[in-house]
Amino acid sequence: MKQNNQQRATANKIKKWIQATKEVEKARLAIPITRLTSIKSLCTDEVAAQKFALYIAQRVQQQINQATCPEHFTSEEWAQQQQLVDEAITLMQSYLESPSYESRQSLRNLLRDIDGVQGDDYRNFRWTTVRFVRSGDLLKLEYALRCFVETDFPYWVYKLAREYVEGYGLQSGSGIVAESIPKLLEVAEFWCQYYFDLSLNEKFPDGGDRSDRPNP
């Protein structure tokens, strides 16, 4: 019964993300990105966090490979970013297959390489100091790597999911916006596959419109 309750709680968290996408579609306004906070409770161990981090890193890799070099990067800088992403995914896969102190150190070394590329542009903004990074893709990659090397991995899973999903619109504001919907569904898809070995459509054929309740 305890396991059933846990499964029900997990399903309800995933379902709320599906429902959030419908809210955005109807209202055309951003809803708070803090809806993703519940992702922390899905990271029951570091392996769950690491597999999610690899999943998002692979999505970032796909986006970079399909994109053209942005105007604010030289072709050499763009190629360097692609190489960093490729290297990170190779190291993550290797660590998941055979965790070791040496492979974790390699992940830490790569974090330092990314930090060097991002630069040291710190500015005062609203009574605090904010770092402006050069690449949003590398920022996601940094958060993914930290899921492997930091002890507070649920926090970094949330940071990664938030950075991946959050969007901004002139009319809607920032948070979960219309452009966020496919990415939020990707996040939901991962956890549905991870915990239930089912796709979202298979687990929630009604689109998440019904709540999971114990059978009478």
Side-chain angles (χ1 to χ4, degrees):
M1 179 61 70
K2 182 178 180 181
Q3 183 63 34
N4 289 339
N5 289 339
Q6 290 175 344
Q7 290 179 338
R8 189 174 300 113
T10 297
N12 282 334
K13 290 182 176 71
I14 296 171
K15 185 180 297 183
K16 286 180 180 178
W17 295 337
I18 300 173
Q19 292 169 346
T21 65
K22 296 181 179 181
E23 288 181 41
V24 173
E25 288 176 337
K26 291 179 180 179
R28 291 295 174 181
L29 294 174
I31 61 177
I33 194 64
T34 49
R35 294 281 187 94
L36 276 170
T37 306
S38 60
I39 199 172
K40 295 180 183 179
S41 64
L42 300 183
C43 301
T44 54
D45 55 48
E46 60 184 11
V47 173
Q50 292 163 0
K51 287 186 176 181
F52 176 74
L54 174 61
Y55 173 79
I56 296 299
Q58 289 171 329
R59 302 284 80 72
V60 172
Q61 182 187 47
Q62 289 177 355
Q63 292 171 12
I64 287 179
N65 290 341
Q66 294 170 1
T68 56
C69 178
E71 293 182 357
H72 57 285
F73 290 122
T74 65
S75 58
E76 291 79 10
E77 290 172 331
W78 185 240
Q80 182 186 24
Q81 288 191 44
Q82 292 175 309
Q83 182 179 351
L84 286 170
V85 173
D86 293 345
E87 184 178 352
I89 289 174
T90 298
L91 288 175
M92 289 179 195
Q93 291 172 329
S94 176
Y95 185 87
L96 278 167
E97 292 172 3
S98 181
S100 68
Y101 172 81
E102 290 76 16
S103 56
R104 180 167 288 190
Q105 284 302 107
S106 296
L107 292 165
R108 291 186 184 277
N109 291 338
L110 188 58
L111 271 171
R112 285 194 287 270
D113 292 341
I114 293 172
D115 186 64
V117 173
Q118 293 285 42
D120 56 357
D121 183 6
Y122 292 90
R123 307 178 196 176
N124 293 324
F125 182 74
R126 293 183 179 176
W127 304 286
T128 189
T129 301
V130 177
R131 184 187 186 190
F132 286 78
V133 298
R134 298 196 66 207
S135 169
D137 290 325
L138 290 186
L139 183 61
K140 298 181 189 76
L141 190 65
E142 175 193 336
Y143 292 163
L145 289 168
R146 292 196 181 280
C147 294
F148 283 78
V149 303
E150 304 290 353
T151 56
D152 190 12
F153 49 84
Y155 168 78
W156 290 104
V157 163
Y158 169 65
K159 290 273 286 185
L160 173 60
R162 176 172 181 154
E163 186 65 28
Y164 186 67
V165 171
E166 189 170 22
Y168 174 79
L170 291 176
Q171 302 297 326
S172 61
S174 62
I176 300 174
V177 298
E179 291 75 15
S180 303
I181 291 175
K183 295 180 179 180
L184 180 53
L185 290 175
E186 286 178 357
V187 171
E189 182 72 39
F190 171 86
W191 292 108
C192 193
Q193 293 275 4
Y194 185 82
Y195 278 106
F196 302 106
D197 199 25
L198 295 170
S199 69
L200 284 178
N201 289 336
E202 290 170 331
K203 178 62 179 174
F204 305 105
D206 58 350
D209 290 333
R210 294 181 302 176
S211 60
D212 281 354
R213 297 176 180 171
N215 291 326

